[in-house]
Amino acid sequence: MAVIYYVEDDQAIGYIIEKTIEHAGLIGKGFAKGDEFIQAFRKTKPDMVLLDIMLPDMSGLDVLKFIRTQDQNIPVMMISALQTEMDKVIALDHGADDYLTKPFGVLELASRIMSKLRRVSDDRIYQISNVILDEKKHTCTMNGQDVYLTNKEYAILKLLMKFKDSVVTKETIFKHVWETDFIGETRTLDMHIKSLRSKMKLSEATPEIKTIRGIGYQIE
């Protein structure tokens, strides 16, 4: 369940990118301006970034510079209408991992995204206060104690921790944990959330999973 941020001010192109990401079974979050992206990036880093160069508030190259001051490993693909060889060289010299020119085919975009993600080992560590998820070991630690989570509990907690500053809708959880767009009866999800809360309480974990009535859940 890799999370991809994309920065694109053209709504039509943004829609194509969003659908391509969704069809690849990934999570996409779009931004129309560089400043909006930077604010979100400071709070939560994604697994990959798709970045336009010509943005309404700043150059995508400046956004790229910012990314590289914060993280040298996150794959960044530039998607731009600028097509000269020099444009590509400049972007790559600034730290981009790939460069795709507009217009592009959705199959090529999906292929390049998956190729870049495969090169990034899934060894990230997610932490909120005294709750830690270690992706490489597939373990959960709460308040210094190893806590057993079922696969579904682990997947739900990881999704909430990835979007720790946002509300994660029930639809999003069902799509990426149960791999279905149909939520139907939510009792199953409610039971998993209840179990997670119980384990966090027993371990004296300080983060709290809050219910956002009628929408979903948020961890903080």
Side-chain angles (χ1 to χ4, degrees):
M1 292 185 298
V3 177
I4 299 179
Y5 285 178
Y6 61 94
V7 192
E8 173 59 65
D9 62 313
D10 186 308
Q11 292 185 355
I13 296 178
Y15 178 81
I16 293 172
I17 293 174
E18 174 70 23
K19 291 304 177 183
T20 301
I21 292 173
E22 287 184 2
H23 289 161
L26 309 172
I27 301 173
K29 188 171 184 179
F31 306 88
K33 296 182 179 181
D35 182 61
E36 295 174 353
F37 164 83
I38 289 174
Q39 291 182 40
F41 189 94
R42 290 185 188 278
K43 294 179 180 178
T44 307
K45 292 182 181 179
D47 296 292
M48 183 175 181
V49 176
L50 308 181
L51 180 60
D52 190 7
I53 292 180
M54 295 183 291
L55 299 172
D57 58 337
M58 65 177 68
S59 169
L61 294 176
D62 290 331
V63 177
L64 177 58
K65 290 179 185 178
F66 163 77
I67 294 172
R68 288 304 177 227
T69 63
Q70 304 295 309
D71 195 299
Q72 292 290 321
N73 299 315
I74 290 178
V76 179
M77 181 192 301
M78 310 303 293
I79 301 180
S80 176
L82 302 176
Q83 300 184 10
T84 70
E85 182 178 7
M86 185 54 64
D87 293 320
K88 299 176 183 179
V89 170
I90 291 174
L92 295 173
D93 284 347
H94 277 72
D97 297 283
D98 199 358
Y99 194 106
L100 182 63
T101 57
K102 301 175 184 178
F104 54 84
V106 294
L107 292 180
E108 180 180 9
L109 175 60
S111 176
R112 291 199 189 193
I113 289 174
M114 300 309 297
S115 175
K116 295 296 177 295
L117 290 176
R118 280 194 294 268
R119 297 179 187 177
V120 181
S121 58
D122 199 10
D123 59 358
R124 295 186 61 178
I125 293 177
Y126 298 92
Q127 180 172 2
I128 300 179
S129 187
N130 60 0
V131 174
I132 302 173
L133 289 184
D134 188 323
E135 281 284 81
K136 188 173 184 179
K137 299 177 181 178
H138 198 75
T139 58
C140 175
T141 303
M142 297 183 182
N143 196 24
Q145 307 172 50
D146 290 333
V147 177
Y148 169 76
L149 299 180
T150 66
N151 288 334
K152 289 289 189 287
E153 289 171 352
Y154 186 95
I156 292 170
L157 184 57
K158 184 173 77 169
L159 193 60
L160 293 174
M161 292 179 76
K162 276 188 173 184
F163 289 97
K164 60 183 178 181
D165 297 303
S166 304
V167 177
V168 181
T169 66
K170 291 183 179 182
E171 289 83 359
T172 297
I173 295 174
F174 271 97
K175 181 172 184 178
H176 295 282
V177 175
W178 276 272
E179 298 183 349
T180 178
D181 291 323
F182 176 71
I183 63 173
E185 176 58 61
T186 63
R187 188 175 304 172
T188 299
L189 173 57
D190 297 337
M191 290 175 60
H192 281 81
I193 293 293
K194 182 178 180 180
S195 178
L196 274 173
R197 284 172 170 160
S198 177
K199 292 177 180 181
M200 293 173 75
K201 183 177 181 180
L202 287 173
S203 303
E204 298 183 348
T206 51
E208 178 183 358
I209 298 177
K210 292 188 174 182
T211 299
I212 311 301
R213 190 173 300 277
I215 302 176
Y217 301 93
Q218 181 177 10
I219 190 170
E220 57 180 35

